[in-house]
Amino acid sequence: MDLAMLKEYLPFLIPLVIAQLALGITALVHVLRYPHYRFGNKVMWAIIVMLVQFIGPAAYFAFGRGNE
Amino acid sequence: MRNYSAFLKKEVLEYTKTYKLLIMLMVFAVFGITNPLMAKLLPEILRKLMTDGNIMTLPEATAYDAWTQFFKNATQMGLIVMVILFSGVLSSELSKGTLINMLTKGLSRTAVILSKYTCMVLVWTISIALCFALTYGYTVYLFPAGETANLIFSTFCLWLFGVFLLVVLLLSATLTKSNYGCLLITGAAAVVCMLVNIIPAAHRYNPISLATDNLGLISNSIAVSSLYCTILISCLLSLLFVFLSVLIFRKKQL
């Protein structure tokens, strides 16, 4: 991808990156602070929420989060 | 009334604390941003994929394509995400037993159902409004020339279908004990609506037309007036189902 094209799509990329980072970091903080999960362990969830875009944090909050 | 507003406040707090609000907003925001982007990039991706052998002329993407993406994503993934997130609306509190204490202390069951429904509708309204605003903004940015017909009305139909689906969800939540049962009944209701839609005569009275006719509306191939009947039926059914859920929940053995 050349630089001009990247510049053209920057207004799209910035909000998407912000959204992913916001979700990922919220989920990561939650993973580290509450180490009780329905299944899996801390390392697994930390990797999933940071590396799987959008679906990772959503899956963690929907299925992985244990009851405090 | 005080019961209702207090429980509504608790519901809003619950959606924030369980991150359900965050997920809903993020999912719909991401859809909102990617709809026009996908419409713009799809012809270019196809062009890159095409080899020398097969030549196909691709029309330039327009604002109409962006809105096609919007209505496809919102009616499929959007509604599915919403139903899955809200499937535990009653069952989670009943299985944990946190609702029983409040009910025995005099919280009215009607207030519980009504405030839960209000809160779900509220979250759905904010999400679809956010998605619509983002898609609108980026569509104007990418395709300045495009004019789309009946946009607001079409989105209103989609919103109304969401409201109808939520009341079906609420009714099935009062009928079953687990959130899987709730999901199953809601899914079955959607499938029944789709099957009924096969009969052409029923199309005008079927609530699911609100979610399937959007593309026809924005391309002007379906007249706005043909949906008035559906809107009326959906509103009446929603009211009836809210009434039924309240009745069933009042009689329900917890």
Side-chain angles (χ1 to χ4, degrees), chain A residues 1-11 13, chain B residues 141:
Chain A
M1 195 188 259
D2 52 310
L3 211 62
M5 204 170 160
L6 190 69
K7 227 173 192 172
E8 194 189 338
Y9 291 113
L10 217 54
L13 291 176
Chain B
Y141 170 81

Side-chain angles (χ1 to χ4, degrees), chain A:
Chain A
M1 195 188 259
D2 52 310
L3 211 62
M5 204 170 160
L6 190 69
K7 227 173 192 172
E8 194 189 338
Y9 291 113
L10 217 54
F12 291 94
L13 291 176
I14 291 169
L16 283 177
V17 170
I18 290 173
Q20 156 61 17
L21 280 181
L23 261 183
I25 288 169
T26 330
L28 186 67
V29 168
H30 199 280
V31 167
L32 297 180
R33 278 179 65 190
Y34 303 97
H36 301 287
Y37 317 107
R38 255 173 253 171
F39 57 90
N41 55 21
K42 193 184 263 185
V43 180
M44 179 193 110
W45 281 116
I47 291 174
I48 288 179
V49 297
M50 285 318 281
L51 295 186
V52 185
Q53 266 88 42
F54 299 112
I55 300 172
Y60 170 69
F61 284 127
F63 306 116
R65 194 172 60 93
N67 297 322
E68 290 104 45

Side-chain angles (χ1 to χ4, degrees), chain B residues 91-225:
Chain B
S91 60
S92 65
E93 272 174 281
L94 288 180
S95 64
K96 269 188 256 164
T98 45
L99 199 59
I100 316 256
N101 288 336
M102 287 188 275
L103 287 176
T104 50
K105 295 280 181 200
L107 175 68
S108 97
R109 292 189 177 195
T110 316
V112 171
I113 291 288
L114 289 184
S115 54
K116 273 185 184 297
Y117 184 53
T118 318
C119 198
M120 287 198 291
V121 170
L122 209 66
V123 173
W124 161 243
T125 310
I126 296 170
S127 311
I128 198 78
L130 179 73
C131 188
F132 179 81
L134 282 170
T135 307
Y136 188 81
Y138 279 114
T139 305
V140 169
Y141 170 81
L142 271 185
F143 314 103
E147 266 293 314
T148 318
N150 297 328
L151 204 55
I152 302 282
F153 181 73
S154 189
T155 314
F156 166 75
C157 286
L158 174 61
W159 173 80
L160 193 65
F161 183 70
V163 169
F164 173 74
L165 202 63
L166 283 176
V167 74
V168 174
L169 185 81
L170 190 67
L171 183 63
S172 40
T174 54
L175 286 171
T176 55
K177 278 209 159 70
S178 72
N179 53 352
Y180 297 110
C182 175
L183 273 180
L184 202 70
I185 296 184
T186 314
V191 169
V192 167
C193 277
M194 279 175 203
L195 286 180
V196 170
N197 228 12
I198 294 173
I199 311 164
H203 188 78
R204 276 190 66 183
Y205 306 101
N206 196 341
I208 209 164
S209 306
L210 292 174
T212 53
D213 284 355
N214 307 103
L215 291 179
L217 278 172
I218 58 169
S219 64
N220 250 338
S221 63
I222 294 176
V224 171
S225 56

